[in-house]
Amino acid sequence: MSNKIIVVGSMNMDMVVKTSHIPQPGETVLGGSFLMNPGGKGANQAVAVARLGGDVTFIGKIGDDIFGKQSSQLFDEEGVDTNGMLADDNCPSGIALITVDERGENSIVVAPGANAHLEPNDVEEVLNNYPYSKILLVQLEIPMPTVEHAARIARGRGMQVILNPAPANSLVPAMFNLIDIITPNVNEAEMLSGMQIVDIPSAKAAAERIHAQGVNHVIITLGRQGAVLLEAGVFHHIPAPQVETVDTTAAGDVFNGALAVALSEGKALKDAVSFACRAASIAVTRMGAQSSIPFRNEVLLNSMT
Ligand code: RIB
């Protein structure tokens, strides 16, 4: 088995506007600067893996337009293997409209475009070319049957399956048993557990509820408070470095990419979560999705400060 990480997921072009506050329904806000940069949860996670030193193949779908071409060109420059990138000539690439407020919090609307046409068979064909891979990393910005099929194949091959359940969605019961590690944020964990998370003890209770549904290990990311990990019945709270937040977009993606890299290198889960928290804490100090993803040496330096 190699150290290969396969990321199956979405690829978007992000259109970002900085604003004093996120508009209410019916409200127009005069915003600040505009930034267009490649995003999409799957693509962000693949770039994070590459920048942090992992061996990564991305499986996803772009449309027949300039955005898809630009994103795939950038992947080549980043060292992401693009042999699993497919194109659909009949629809546009995915687009995300993002507003980021003064505190760095965001609101995102995604028009999935070609991401919605990534079929189970597409993924199976590509996965067959990488039989000895170690980790599958997948999110929920592509069709659920595709997520489930990819997880089932990977599980059957003895790969470690990491599901980042974003954006928040419910999962069919069979799905939980296919996942080794699930990485919800607070909103997603509340949805999956049916419990409110207000502090570390309630995060622990939610993690236990999610674990009881069939997932081996549960990691709930808590932003500035780091993450909680429930591993084999043992609970840990892993703090994050305290930084000044500029934009939280893609912080979760960086966390997941970093987690996968550390695990592919054989690190213990608790140490992998700590590495992921440090990587994500750098991403929030910068604007944008892929533009905010740190390189490995930056994260290593971050551990010494
Ligand atoms: O997780 C951040 C990402 O969510 C953005 O890049 C946007 O494209 C949406 O997919």
Side-chain angles (χ1 to χ4, degrees):
M1 190 176 272
S2 71
N3 279 353
K4 166 78 74 189
I5 297 164
I6 308 251
V7 178
V8 178
S10 58
M11 183 175 224
N12 299 327
M13 185 56 79
D14 291 354
M15 319 266 173
V16 189
V17 181
K18 192 89 177 150
T19 158
S20 57
H21 65 278
I22 292 169
Q24 300 294 314
E27 182 186 7
T28 300
V29 174
L30 208 51
S33 52
F34 170 73
L35 167 76
M36 188 165 90
N37 88 120
K41 295 185 192 304
N44 296 343
Q45 294 182 16
V47 170
V49 170
R51 287 195 189 167
L52 295 167
D55 173 11
V56 58
T57 293
F58 177 74
I59 305 179
K61 218 170 227 186
I62 52 173
D64 182 24
D65 51 32
I66 183 74
F67 296 142
K69 288 189 187 80
Q70 273 176 354
S71 301
S72 109
Q73 213 174 337
L74 277 169
F75 263 0
D76 285 335
E77 290 166 19
E78 296 283 355
V80 176
D81 170 21
T82 52
N83 286 318
M85 274 194 53
L86 310 165
D88 187 326
D89 293 344
N90 297 315
C91 57
S93 297
I95 293 288
L97 301 180
I98 304 180
T99 42
V100 178
D101 73 12
E102 276 172 352
R103 292 168 305 149
E105 297 299 332
N106 62 42
S107 108
I108 305 181
V109 179
V110 174
N115 296 308
H117 298 271
L118 185 66
E119 305 292 343
N121 282 347
D122 294 332
V123 174
E124 182 167 350
E125 273 174 32
V126 183
L127 279 176
N128 286 341
N129 296 328
Y130 299 91
Y132 304 113
S133 304
K134 190 164 184 176
I135 293 175
L136 173 78
L137 176 56
V138 63
Q139 328 72 33
L140 301 180
E141 236 173 24
I142 54 172
M144 197 64 91
T146 305
V147 174
E148 193 176 338
H149 196 59
R152 198 174 294 284
I153 294 171
R155 197 66 192 268
R157 289 188 188 157
M159 291 168 68
Q160 195 165 35
V161 177
I162 306 175
L163 175 70
N164 173 222
N169 204 342
S170 50
L171 300 176
V172 292
M175 187 70 211
F176 287 96
N177 295 312
L178 301 173
I179 306 165
D180 293 294
I181 303 172
I182 195 164
T183 60
N185 65 15
V186 168
N187 292 339
E188 294 146 9
E190 288 185 337
M191 177 156 198
L192 293 171
S193 66
M195 298 172 71
Q196 216 193 343
I197 299 176
V198 289
D199 52 17
I200 304 294
S202 54
K204 178 176 184 232
E208 277 162 352
R209 179 77 65 86
I210 295 168
H211 169 67
Q213 294 175 74
V215 183
N216 285 343
H217 309 302
V218 181
I219 299 166
I220 302 178
T221 56
L222 302 170
R224 292 183 76 74
Q225 285 185 281
V228 294
L229 161 67
L230 184 65
E231 180 187 20
V234 182
F235 183 77
H236 308 272
H237 174 216
I238 294 109
Q242 297 303 295
V243 294
E244 202 154 313
T245 302
V246 172
D247 179 5
T248 54
T249 309
D253 301 329
V254 172
F255 182 95
N256 279 276
L259 179 77
V261 170
L263 292 174
S264 77
E265 294 169 351
K267 284 202 173 61
L269 189 48
K270 190 170 169 234
D271 296 335
V273 174
S274 171
F275 180 73
C277 283
R278 294 200 304 272
S281 76
I282 297 174
V284 301
T285 64
R286 302 169 181 169
M287 274 301 288
Q290 283 167 39
S291 49
S292 75
I293 299 173
F295 288 85
R296 187 180 180 94
N297 59 344
E298 297 178 273
V299 182
L300 297 180
L301 275 175
N302 199 23
S303 64
M304 293 177 215
T305 51

